[in-house]
Amino acid sequence: MDNVIVTNPPRAALEEVDALAGFGVATVHEAMGRTGLLGPELRPIQADTRIAGTAVTVLSWPGDNLMIHAAVEQCRAGDILVVTTTSASWDGAFGELFATALAHRGVRGVVTTTGIRDTAELRAMGFPAWSAAVHAQGTVKATPGAVNVPVTIGPTVVSPGDVVLADDDGVLCIPRERTTAAIESSRAREAKEAATREAFEAGQLGLDRYGLREVLEQLGVRYVDAADAGGHR
């Protein structure tokens, strides 16, 4: 790893970031062809909160939060801090004091594969956080890393300036160059879901709306009356 702090990376336009914040993670994920999720390990410490922002990325060593301190200086309004480590670490690398500094700069939240602590304080101050663990274990400030470089979280590469969307369902990365397409396809997805919801409210079954009866037939699934089921019970 190069020990670098990259300054002023290009960011997605905030108007597009805010437009994506109008959609849920599941909707945008489906609209993008089921790509971009950062994995099921990242869970929110709060409920009923959705944020979107531009990524400021941090790559640290396990048990060390030196580069998070360096990253704060690179953050600006509309960003989300995205932190990962060179190998798994659940130490509480992020807490209320970091959140205070970031909130002053207009940062919208944090996503980290490490642990976080001070969760009650974070909820009280309204600073959203997603993490792989909650752990009171502290960290040192001794090992160089990198800020604003591409990082891999789960199956997804997050580059600085990409859009990060997070809610109760998880965390999603939308590449900066795909934000316009993601907005358009998410709007289409929402319209399709609204029509389906209306149909279900009117009593239509998914079996018929999605043409699944034919799928069942092709797969050899048969309907058997209970009176004739016999050994099928």
Side-chain angles (χ1 to χ4, degrees), residues 5-100:
I5 298 171
V6 178
T7 62
N8 300 313
R11 288 164 164 87
L14 275 182
E15 58 267 25
E16 294 195 327
V17 174
D18 292 339
L20 284 164
F23 306 105
V25 165
T27 295
V28 182
H29 176 237
E30 294 285 351
M32 290 174 55
R34 298 185 177 178
T35 62
L37 286 176
L38 272 57
E41 297 83 8
L42 298 176
R43 302 305 306 149
I45 65 163
Q46 65 286 313
D48 304 324
T49 297
R50 182 191 301 153
I51 62 170
T54 43
V56 170
T57 62
V58 180
L59 182 59
S60 292
W61 283 81
D64 194 307
N65 69 3
L66 173 64
M67 300 314 293
I68 300 180
H69 283 277
V72 172
E73 184 181 27
Q74 303 307 316
C75 290
R76 66 191 192 195
D79 285 338
I80 291 177
L81 189 68
V82 179
V83 181
T84 191
T85 49
T86 55
S87 60
S89 175
W90 294 274
D91 294 341
F94 187 95
E96 177 254 340
L97 293 179
F98 270 137
T100 300

Side-chain angles (χ1 to χ4, degrees), residues 165-231:
L165 177 66
D167 63 16
D168 287 351
D169 291 339
V171 184
L172 181 74
C173 176
I174 303 100
R176 182 170 58 88
E177 63 275 11
R178 293 187 60 189
T179 53
T180 300
I183 293 168
E184 293 173 354
S185 56
S186 296
R187 285 174 178 158
R189 175 82 187 180
E190 274 205 339
K192 179 181 177 181
E193 289 181 347
T196 299
R197 186 178 302 108
E198 184 177 343
F200 286 174
E201 289 171 345
Q204 186 179 21
L205 296 173
L207 284 173
D208 298 312
R209 186 164 188 85
Y210 301 136
L212 298 178
R213 295 190 189 278
E214 291 82 359
V215 175
L216 291 174
E217 183 178 357
Q218 292 167 7
L219 293 173
V221 178
R222 298 181 296 116
Y223 286 84
V224 181
D225 189 273
D228 302 322

Side-chain angles (χ1 to χ4, degrees), residues 43 45 62-65 88-96 98 112-123 129-139:
R43 302 305 306 149
I45 65 163
D64 194 307
N65 69 3
S89 175
W90 294 274
D91 294 341
F94 187 95
E96 177 254 340
F98 270 137
T112 177
T113 64
T114 71
I116 58 171
R117 58 187 187 176
D118 305 330
T119 55
E121 289 81 359
L122 292 176
R123 285 190 291 269
W130 284 255
S131 70
V134 173
H135 194 10
Q137 175 64 50
T139 57

